[in-house]
Amino acid sequence: MVAPAVQPPVVIGLDVGGTKILSGLVDREGSILAEHEVPSPDGSEEGVLAALDEAVEALLDDRVAAIGYGIPANLERGTGRILRAMNLPLDDVDLVARSRERFGLPSGIENDASAATLAEWRRGAGRTAQNLVMLTLGTGVGGGIVLDGRLFRGWAELGHLVVQQGGSLCTCGGRGHLEVLASGTAGDRMARDLWGMDVDAHTLVDRAQAGDDDARGALARIGRSLGAAIASLVNVFDPELVVVGGGFGAAAGDLVLEPAREAARADAIFPANRGVRIVPAELGSEAGLVGAGLVGFEALDGVR
Ligand SMILES: [Zn+2]
C-alpha cells in the first residue's frame, strides 16, 4: 500500500477591495491554486464581514492552515486592528481576532499596498533585495517598504508624500501629494486637459506610445513627480530597489519610469542615487492576492 503523501499547507488569502473581494488558495511559493470572487457589499459592516466569511468558506478545506487579509485600511500598529478602511464600512474592527475565533486558524492582516509589496519582494521584482520601496500607481497611489529584510508594519501612506507644497487638493484633504500628481486619476485629468472629456489615462498612454508629444510631456511630468517622491524615499531609506506597479504604472512603463529615474537621480543624495534601481513590478494584478496569502503564511510561521 502506498502511504498517502503529506500535503504541504496552503493558506487562504483575501484581496479585499471596494468593488470586489477576491479570495485564493495560495501555496508557500506564492502560486494561486484556486480563486473565488464576490462583489463587495456596500452598506453595513455586518454585510462586509459576512461577505469576507463567505469568501473564506468558499475555499476552506483540510489543507488550509492560515488566513491572510490584504485590505485598504489604516491598521493599528502592533495589533492589526482596522482603524479605518477606504471605500468599505469597516471602522475599529479586529478582523484578525474575529477570523481566528471563527475559523480556528492563525490569521494575519496587512494594508493592501503593503501586502502587494510583500508579494513583489518575496516572489516578484524584489526577490534579491533586503531593502526596497514599492509604489503602486492606480486610481490612487499606494506603497510599502521592506527594511533590513522585513516588511515595515507602520503607516506607509506613501501616496500622501508631499511633492508640491500647496499644490492641488488630494483625496485625503492635503495638497500636492504624490497621489494627486502621479496616479491614474492624474493621468485621466491630464488627458482631459489636453483633449476634452471623452478621454482618460488609457488615451494618454496610447497616444504617448504612438509618439504624441503632448501625451509624452504629460507622462514625463507624472514621472518627474514620481521621481521627486522616490528621491525623498531614497534619502530616508537608501533602498537597493524601488518597484513601481499598479495598473497605470504598468501601462505607462518607461514613459513614466525613465523621467522618474532621471528626477530621482537628481534629488537623491550621493551615493544612494547611484545604487538605487527603479524597476517595474512583475506580479501585476495578482500581487494583492499573492501578498495576502504570504501574510497568511507569516501568521502561520509566527513572523508577526
Ligand atoms: Zn493625500
Side-chain angles (χ1 to χ4, degrees):
M1 218 172 91
V2 179
V6 177
Q7 299 244 20
V10 296
V11 300
I12 293 175
L14 292 94
D15 180 13
V16 184
T19 55
K20 64 179 182 187
I21 297 168
L22 194 58
S23 55
L25 275 184
V26 181
D27 71 13
R28 210 174 259 285
E29 278 64 56
S31 301
I32 298 166
L33 309 176
E35 248 180 82
H36 180 79
E37 186 181 321
V38 291
S40 306
D42 38 41
S44 68
E45 184 169 295
E46 295 76 54
V48 173
L49 293 173
L52 290 172
D53 291 343
E54 186 197 326
V56 171
E57 282 154 8
L59 296 172
L60 201 56
D61 66 27
D62 291 348
R63 293 173 298 164
V64 175
I67 300 170
Y69 297 85
I71 190 155
N74 295 122
L75 307 174
E76 185 175 65
R77 265 173 106 159
T79 67
R81 188 179 184 89
I82 296 172
L83 299 176
R84 184 183 67 109
M86 266 57 81
N87 306 317
L88 286 166
L90 295 175
D91 282 299
D92 198 25
V93 187
D94 196 338
L95 184 60
V96 162
R98 191 180 172 281
S99 174
R100 276 194 205 111
E101 195 170 310
R102 184 176 180 91
F103 300 109
L105 293 170
S107 301
I109 189 168
E110 196 47 73
N111 169 274
D112 57 347
S114 288
T117 302
L118 186 61
E120 285 290 343
W121 172 43
R122 292 277 175 73
R123 302 289 177 252
R127 281 188 298 270
T128 59
Q130 283 294 298
N131 298 282
L132 77 84
V133 171
M134 178 161 168
L135 290 162
T136 58
L137 315 185
T139 308
V141 174
I145 299 165
V146 172
L147 281 180
D148 299 330
R150 289 179 72 95
L151 183 68
F152 172 61
R153 306 277 181 200
W155 221 228
E157 289 287 354
L158 304 187
H160 303 281
L161 281 165
V162 180
V163 172
Q164 189 177 58
Q165 200 266 329
S168 301
L169 193 62
C170 183
T171 51
C172 71
R175 286 191 175 275
H177 293 182
L178 180 61
E179 177 162 304
V180 192
L181 297 165
S183 57
T185 309
D188 291 342
R189 197 183 57 244
M190 287 180 176
R192 287 196 293 267
D193 287 348
L194 285 169
W195 305 300
M197 291 309 287
D198 295 333
V199 292
D200 60 14
H202 294 100
T203 325
L204 191 65
V205 171
D206 287 348
R207 292 188 183 177
Q209 282 166 345
D212 183 292
D213 283 340
D214 290 338
R216 284 177 168 259
L219 289 179
R221 278 205 301 285
I222 288 176
R224 287 194 293 274
S225 295
L226 177 66
I230 289 173
S232 292
L233 290 163
V234 168
N235 288 341
V236 178
F237 297 113
D238 183 23
E240 301 128 74
L241 202 63
V242 177
V243 180
V244 178
F248 176 64
D254 271 342
L255 290 164
V256 160
L257 288 188
E258 210 27 67
R261 290 182 184 111
E262 202 173 308
R265 276 195 295 268
D267 277 313
I269 287 169
F270 178 86
N273 61 347
R274 282 196 318 195
V276 67
R277 289 183 298 130
I278 301 172
V279 301
E282 288 180 3
L283 300 178
S285 58
E286 281 191 350
L289 189 54
V290 172
L294 296 177
V295 168
F297 275 107
E298 289 204 337
L300 179 63
D301 298 339
V303 171
R304 333 177 25 87

